[in-house]
Amino acid sequence: MELLSTIAPPPGSTDRLPAPLPEDAAGRLLDVASFFAAAQGASPEAPLRPVRQPRMTLWCGERSASRASLLSPERADALRRDFERGVGPTRAFAESAGVPAEAVVVSPGLPLEEALSLGIRAADAQADSGVDLALPASLGAGDEEEALALLGLLTGKEPVAVLGFHGIADAAWSERVALVRDLMFKARGHRSSAEDTLRHHASAAMVALVGYIAQSAARHTPVLLDTTVTCVAACYAEALAPGTKAWLLAGQLTPHAGHLIATRHLGITPLLALNMPLGMGTGAASTLPLVRAATTLYARDRDQDRDHDAA
């Protein structure tokens, strides 16, 4: 498959970041500033820039895993309509964080290459328009169950391990375990590669999300991940386009086992632990103020140092 290829690491240096705070007081602020300095290709001549043009993209579409899913098709459709009307959780969090948000509805049944191309084109368009931070999100009945099955197939984890225990009734939990197990069982003959698994067992919306994340990294657009579904999509983006994970930040950690497994598979540590598994972009949006504050603080300090030296 020629659509995606190995991605170069971030080109910038973090050796000469300013020190507006003592390192032991900065905590994850320094991690965030260092990440963006590397992603932006920062140097003494071109210092770190604050994040100015983030963009949230909500990937919507039918999944095959709607049976026993936490989110019913009717509820998913209602949430998408709310988003289009400018209300609902995704709009509320996006507006509060000051990030423009758009929805992409993916037609079910798209072949792998077409679905990947859809995500790639969206990432290209955003990069060309100056977006400096991508916030991918997912909305669809069964999207989390599909993601958990794909995660189990990629990591070799059992259904119970990727689902975990997080407070739902025993009967409902058993139904979800059975759903994830059945999805994984159906894919047993297509585990030779991540591409093979996606081609035969992922929805078009999930594949488009994978393409979007991988191409954002290829275009040197940092990506702020949301919750379980986007993190699993990022795992597959890394499998198809090695090097993707160097361009990823994880927003906040939920109590769901699969989310933790996915972030560990990527080797990234979420910035916050809000224990909020709502998804739909809310986790990433919750983290955006921290990202903006960190990049503004370290960029501003460099500007102040330069002005002081000139004086």
Side-chain angles (χ1 to χ4, degrees), residues 26 28-30 32-33 36 250-251 270-272 284-297:
R28 299 303 303 277
L29 290 173
L30 179 57
V32 173
F36 280 94
L271 297 175
L272 303 174
S286 298
T287 318
L288 183 57
L290 175 67
V291 169
R292 280 181 152 151
T295 56
T296 300
L297 175 65

Side-chain angles (χ1 to χ4, degrees), residues 1-23:
M1 182 174 56
E2 300 298 331
L3 293 174
L4 299 171
S5 59
T6 300
I7 295 171
S13 171
T14 62
D15 294 340
R16 298 189 62 183
L17 272 177
L21 298 172
E23 188 169 333

Side-chain angles (χ1 to χ4, degrees), residues 112 116 150 190 193-203 206-207 210 236-237 240:
L112 177 79
L116 278 176
L150 291 171
H190 299 104
S193 68
E195 178 186 344
D196 195 36
T197 301
L198 289 176
R199 183 180 299 278
H200 294 281
H201 296 283
S203 65
M206 172 59 85
V207 174
V210 171
Y236 276 84
L240 297 184

Side-chain angles (χ1 to χ4, degrees), residues 68 129 133 175:
S129 68
L133 178 61
E175 288 181 4

Side-chain angles (χ1 to χ4, degrees), residues 231-257:
C231 285
V232 172
C235 291
Y236 276 84
E238 171 66 25
L240 297 184
T244 294
K245 64 183 180 181
W247 296 88
L248 308 177
L249 278 177
Q252 62 99 17
L253 185 64
T254 72
H256 290 185

Side-chain angles (χ1 to χ4, degrees), residues 3 13 17 25 50 65 80 88 97 114 126 143 155 183 186 235 270 278 290 293 297 302 307:
L3 293 174
S13 171
L17 272 177
R80 181 174 59 82
E114 290 185 29
Q126 292 182 5
D143 61 350
T155 62
L183 291 170
K186 290 177 182 177
C235 291
L278 181 58
L290 175 67
L297 175 65
R302 173 61 61 88
D307 294 342

Side-chain angles (χ1 to χ4, degrees), residues 94-301:
E95 290 176 3
S96 295
V99 55
E102 61 183 335
V104 178
V105 180
V106 184
S107 299
L110 283 181
L112 177 79
E113 288 77 10
E114 290 185 29
L116 278 176
S117 293
L118 180 63
I120 289 170
R121 290 195 303 271
D124 282 338
Q126 292 182 5
D128 291 342
S129 68
V131 169
D132 55 7
L133 178 61
L135 286 73
S138 174
L139 173 59
D143 61 350
E144 184 168 321
E145 289 76 14
E146 175 192 45
L148 292 174
L150 291 171
L151 179 64
L153 292 166
L154 186 66
T155 62
K157 301 288 186 181
E158 294 295 326
V160 171
V162 295
L163 184 59
F165 299 90
H166 43 80
I168 62 175
D170 289 345
W173 178 85
S174 297
E175 288 181 4
R176 293 190 76 209
V177 169
L179 174 56
V180 173
R181 180 201 63 208
D182 291 348
L183 291 170
M184 292 177 63
F185 183 77
K186 290 177 182 177
R188 66 193 184 281
H190 299 104
R191 299 181 64 174
S192 60
S193 68
E195 178 186 344
D196 195 36
T197 301
L198 289 176
R199 183 180 299 278
H200 294 281
H201 296 283
S203 65
M206 172 59 85
V207 174
L209 180 57
V210 171
Y212 174 77
I213 292 172
Q215 188 65 10
S216 293
R219 293 296 306 271
H220 293 188
T221 304
V223 179
L224 180 59
L225 299 173
D226 188 34
T227 49
T228 303
V229 180
T230 55
C231 285
V232 172
C235 291
Y236 276 84
E238 171 66 25
L240 297 184
T244 294
K245 64 183 180 181
W247 296 88
L248 308 177
L249 278 177
Q252 62 99 17
L253 185 64
T254 72
H256 290 185
H259 191 193
L260 180 59
I261 292 170
T263 56
R264 286 178 172 173
H265 184 79
L266 292 166
I268 55 179
T269 302
L271 297 175
L272 303 174
L274 301 178
N275 293 329
M276 183 180 69
L278 181 58
M280 297 181 288
T282 60
S286 298
T287 318
L288 183 57
L290 175 67
V291 169
R292 280 181 152 151
T295 56
T296 300
L297 175 65
Y298 281 81
R300 180 181 298 152
D301 187 87

